[in-house]
Amino acid sequence: MSSIGSGVREIRVHTDTEHRVIYIAKFEEAIYVLHAFVKKTPKTAKKDIDLASRRLNELLILRKDKK
């Protein structure tokens, strides 16, 4: 999911419905889940991409402040 940010990945869970988990695992202290949702259309909704992007930005700010 490079549209969200560098290192961001997506897990796709195929069941009766489609689930997605957007996460980043490039930091040694943790894997951060940015967003998880049920996917209802073939294309990922802009609101879901925007939410994951906002959460990534907030995470990067928090990590920078802790240094």
Side-chain angles (χ1 to χ4, degrees):
M1 305 273 330
S2 61
S3 61
I4 296 173
S6 175
V8 176
R9 303 278 190 245
E10 174 184 52
I11 296 174
R12 298 176 180 195
V13 180
H14 308 288
T15 60
D16 293 339
T17 57
E18 294 294 313
H19 296 80
R20 298 293 188 266
V21 178
I22 300 173
Y23 69 97
I24 188 163
K26 71 178 190 178
F27 306 117
E28 65 182 50
E29 74 274 6
I31 295 171
Y32 294 96
V33 174
L34 302 173
H35 188 36
F37 58 98
V38 175
K39 191 168 179 195
K40 299 178 182 176
T41 62
K43 186 175 180 184
T44 303
K46 184 176 179 342
K47 68 178 181 103
D48 291 313
I49 292 172
D50 290 347
L51 178 58
S53 182
R54 266 195 322 273
R55 289 178 175 168
L56 176 60
N57 288 335
E58 291 170 4
L59 171 64
L60 295 175
I61 290 168
L62 283 172
R63 291 184 85 251
K64 185 178 179 183
D65 289 346
K66 287 185 178 183
K67 289 185 178 181

